[in-house]
Amino acid sequence: MMTGDQYRASLNDGRETYFEGRVVEDVAKDPILGITVNSGAQGYDRFYDPAPNAIGAFMKVPGSTEELREQVELHETVDLLTHVTYASIMTLLTAADRIESTLPENARRIRTYIKDAQQRDVRITQCITDSKGDRSRRPSNQDDPDQYVRIVERRDDGIVIRGAKLHISAASMGHELMTIPTKSMKPGEEDYSVACMVPVNAPGVKIINTTYAPRHEDPRDFPISSRHHTPEGFVIFDDVFVEKERVFLDANPELAGVFAHSLGLWERLGGLSSMVSGYEALVGFAQLVSEANGLERTGHIKEKISEMLINATLIRASLEAAIENCHITSDGAAFPDELYTNAGKYHGAANWSMMVRHLHDIGGGAILTAPGIADLENQQVGHLARKYMGTMQSVDGIYRTRLFHAIRDLTADAYGGWNAVTNIQAGGGLYAQRIVSRLHYDMDHAKKVALQKAHMDEYIGQV
Ligand SMILES: Cc1cc2nc3c(=O)[nH]c(=O)nc-3n(C[C@H](O)[C@H](O)[C@H](O)COP(=O)(O)OP(=O)(O)OC[C@H]3O[C@@H](n4cnc5c(N)ncnc54)[C@H](O)[C@@H]3O)c2cc1C
């Protein structure tokens, strides 16, 4: 396994990655991108085991409800790179199972790859979302045929791919790009039905990074985003060769959807579990700021916080239900329940803005206008700023100002904006969760209940 320092060094591998108009020579040494590398390095150090064939504990495939719960709780505490690597491995294992009967050779390649990746202790990021061009048209019917990643050449020893995958979290900080179709393909879309593993430093891979990371000099004013941020990669495959052993799908459009669907479950489970702590933090901030403002016993404030905590409880309940109702596959792997996972993730994403609205309503304008911590320390004016930011003997100005900075950073500034859009879009968008929820909902049961309520039992089974 690699240590954090070995991981940092491993990123200096000739990869072609850009940030704010310039080439990044060494991602680990970049002042902004390096912050994410440091989080990744901490993940490496945390799970480091010097034993020759050791595999990170975060990789464990759960085999029971208890083990699934342990993994979910563990992954709540790990850095994003560690988490997406796990989700990718689980996705590939799921997909291997599902394509085994039709494409046994491809399933073998997947399993061989997983063993190798675990031994090399690499980090994998997930390239699913294509640039997509005109959304109303099929991949094969675009003005520009490269709007979905496709195979442009087949050779004896592999394939050449072209296209772009957008919004790829931490793409420049991992070692491998798990490149899979964004959706199901149809006959005639064989070239678009491609799943493969691409090293980040493969010739022709170009990544443009974007991030909300604060450029402010004092991290105390950005207590959350200055420590953790995830640059997204705009990943371009400019005719990239992929060797045969790393190609998991080539043609077979009927199987293209298997990969994204397999990923969706793990991605949304991760999204749901981080939403649980996200919701709890919003409730906590609402209560703390109401106490700091002297309003914790005021009726309308209590009502808003009650509504917030009921939502937080429902999100936690859906995570619990997803784990508790997990399904054990023939291989003995525990999979979270699809309906509870998707419905919970949907509810959390759809109601995030309501939670933030209540918090902003309760907190007041200082969420945006509280002076910087350095102003509170200023010799001339600091004592006055602290005095007026304080509210009572037990609530000093520094404490209350720090609360406001955390709330602004989390919900009302660049990171807050990232959070708002990410909750809606990451993991496939609200629409995707509605589709999957509908697919797994027992509609026949619901119809039966309705007919029973209406005393129309004779129609049960007929409609
Ligand atoms: C911060 C962040 C991190 C992300 N990380 C990753 C990642 O690591 N890997 C990855 O692969 N992706 C990632 N994503 C991408 C995410 O999965 C997509 O943003 C999401 O699937 C929506 O795709 P889109 O952005 O292209 O929007 P669009 O597809 O343009 O969707 C916009 C709206 O149009 C609707 N729409 C689109 N097409 C149709 C159609 N044919 N018919 C009807 N309605 C349609 C959608 O339902 C939606 O309401 C990330 C996104 C964000 C914001």
Side-chain angles (χ1 to χ4, degrees), residues 329-352:
T329 64
S330 53
D331 281 0
F335 279 60
D337 180 80
E338 295 251 17
L339 179 61
Y340 291 119
T341 303
N342 278 277
K345 163 73 173 63
Y346 177 88
H347 187 80
N351 289 292
W352 180 262

Side-chain angles (χ1 to χ4, degrees), residues 48-322:
Y48 179 70
D49 181 342
N53 290 321
I55 287 171
F58 68 91
M59 283 285 190
K60 189 172 168 193
V61 178
S64 64
T65 306
E66 291 67 37
E67 286 181 6
L68 181 59
R69 179 171 285 109
E70 275 168 27
Q71 279 303 77
V72 169
E73 284 170 4
L74 176 74
H75 278 264
E76 251 302 285
T77 67
V78 304
D79 62 285
L80 179 108
L81 268 171
T82 302
H83 174 69
V84 291
T85 300
Y86 174 70
S88 302
I89 296 284
M90 293 305 291
T91 299
L92 291 174
L93 276 176
T94 310
D97 269 356
R98 293 180 181 172
I99 66 170
E100 179 93 65
S101 57
T102 326
L103 299 172
E105 162 60 13
N106 299 44
R108 179 203 62 75
R109 283 185 205 161
I110 293 179
R111 297 205 173 94
T112 308
Y113 171 81
I114 290 173
K115 279 206 186 94
D116 176 58
Q118 288 177 329
Q119 283 303 314
R120 290 186 292 123
D121 200 16
V122 290
R123 294 294 184 258
I124 302 169
T125 59
Q126 306 165 342
C127 286
I128 302 101
T129 312
D130 293 278
S131 51
K132 295 193 287 203
D134 180 342
R135 270 69 175 152
S136 69
R137 291 198 248 163
R138 297 289 314 165
S140 52
N141 194 28
Q142 297 284 333
D143 291 341
D144 177 348
D146 301 337
Q147 290 293 351
Y148 288 75
V149 167
R150 66 181 178 126
I151 299 171
V152 289
E153 191 185 339
R154 289 185 174 82
R155 301 182 192 164
D156 288 345
D157 55 348
I159 57 172
V160 176
I161 59 170
R162 186 187 299 161
K165 297 279 190 184
L166 311 192
H167 335 279
I168 310 308
S169 301
S172 291
M173 289 83 205
H175 303 98
E176 305 262 354
L177 304 162
M178 182 181 72
T179 306
I180 61 177
T182 196
K183 60 178 181 184
S184 307
M185 296 292 162
K186 293 196 164 149
E189 294 174 339
E190 283 72 14
D191 292 346
Y192 295 97
S193 306
V194 55
C196 56
M197 297 303 304
V198 185
V200 173
N201 67 347
V205 171
K206 301 166 199 290
I207 304 177
I208 302 167
N209 298 277
T210 54
T211 179
Y212 55 81
R215 305 299 196 271
H216 196 282
E217 281 186 8
D218 192 340
R220 295 174 303 176
D221 294 348
F222 293 83
I224 301 165
S225 61
S226 61
R227 290 184 173 88
H228 300 286
H229 67 98
T230 309
E232 265 74 41
F234 190 113
V235 180
I236 300 162
F237 297 100
D238 194 16
D239 289 4
V240 176
F241 174 72
V242 186
E243 66 183 80
K244 201 170 212 160
E245 188 63 19
R246 286 170 157 261
V247 177
F248 303 154
L249 189 73
D250 167 1
N252 295 89
E254 73 284 3
L255 294 175
V258 164
F259 289 84
H261 186 240
S262 304
L263 174 81
L265 177 60
W266 297 101
E267 202 41 51
R268 285 171 210 142
L269 181 70
L272 174 60
S273 105
S274 64
M275 215 153 263
V276 169
S277 55
Y279 263 59
E280 285 169 356
L282 293 181
V283 174
F285 277 125
Q287 183 65 25
L288 287 169
V289 79
S290 72
E291 290 170 8
N293 289 350
L295 288 173
E296 75 275 19
R297 280 185 288 275
T298 302
H300 81 93
I301 302 276
K302 278 170 70 180
E303 277 171 30
K304 288 184 183 98
I305 296 177
S306 300
E307 192 180 344
M308 292 173 77
L309 66 86
I310 286 168
N311 271 285
T313 306
L314 287 175
I315 302 297
R316 181 170 278 288
S318 55
L319 177 64
E320 278 299 316

